[in-house]
Amino acid sequence: MNEALRWCVLIPCLNEEKAIGSVVRSALQLGVSVIVIDDGSDDRTPDIVNALPVMLLRHGVRKGKGEALRTGFREALRQGFDAVVTMDGDGQHLAEDIPRLVDVGKRFPDHIVIGARLLHREQQPKGRRRANALADWAISWACGQPVADTQSGQRWYPRSALDLVELDAQNFVFEAAMLIVASREKGLGIVSVPIASRYEGSFRLSHFSPVRDVMRIALYTARQVFGRGQLWASYTRSRAAPLIVDDTYSQRAA
């Protein structure tokens, strides 16, 4: 892929006054455009972001993470970017990992790149680890290809994936839907770059509901699995090892 590729960082956020300043400043150090989408925060988040040299897009009311990402994708497309990197605003993603995602994105055109939380996994709560493993199993089946860490919000989306901005999915389902529809309708591959699991420290409680949002994702994924047919072929392909690339080598993870 051309080295002149234009990309930006998108940061959806909701009530992240404790972390958003440091997250945005770290992204700015990359020397690229940063777009922050505030999903109706009622704390100091928008004031903190407004003081920084970034574009701030605001929802007057909370619309969910999916709509926040959709707002950011629309703006990135309007500005003519070729790709975007998403990261959450709570401090669990580090901007220092982004150049690795960008490098892999350039090496693997027509792939979504996921910052997969494969390092220091002992920090993950056991319940969250089991839920993530189940999601990886189901979403990989729906994608028809293996995916490592389907729940990570740190991702590289090429332009061909951004064109799916208007797909019919909301809230946290949107990120799962992007993987599934990009795989099944666009023929995109998915590659993962190992990053650290970060669950220690003073992160605020997740906006992700382990009951409501898991059910939403499960129902959407089930519809995709059974609605698209070729169940056994898709399942067989999904049982291969996911494509994982680190700083020094490529491998099919065991």
Side-chain angles (χ1 to χ4, degrees), residues 146-163:
V147 185
D149 199 0
T150 59
Q151 301 305 292
S152 175
Q154 190 168 37
R155 302 179 180 182
W156 162 275
Y157 289 103
R159 172 60 187 259
S160 49
L162 297 181
D163 288 339

Side-chain angles (χ1 to χ4, degrees), residues 121-180:
R121 297 185 73 180
E122 67 278 1
Q123 292 190 13
Q124 287 187 338
K126 291 183 179 179
R128 180 63 63 86
R129 193 184 309 173
R130 287 192 292 267
N132 287 348
L134 180 60
D136 289 352
W137 173 80
I139 293 172
S140 292
W141 187 0
C143 288
Q145 65 176 311
V147 185
D149 199 0
T150 59
Q151 301 305 292
S152 175
Q154 190 168 37
R155 302 179 180 182
W156 162 275
Y157 289 103
R159 172 60 187 259
S160 49
L162 297 181
D163 288 339
L164 297 172
V165 62
E166 304 301 339
L167 65 82
D168 184 18
Q170 302 298 325
N171 300 299
F172 288 96
V173 179
F174 182 80
E175 290 175 294
M178 287 291 292
L179 297 178
I180 296 168

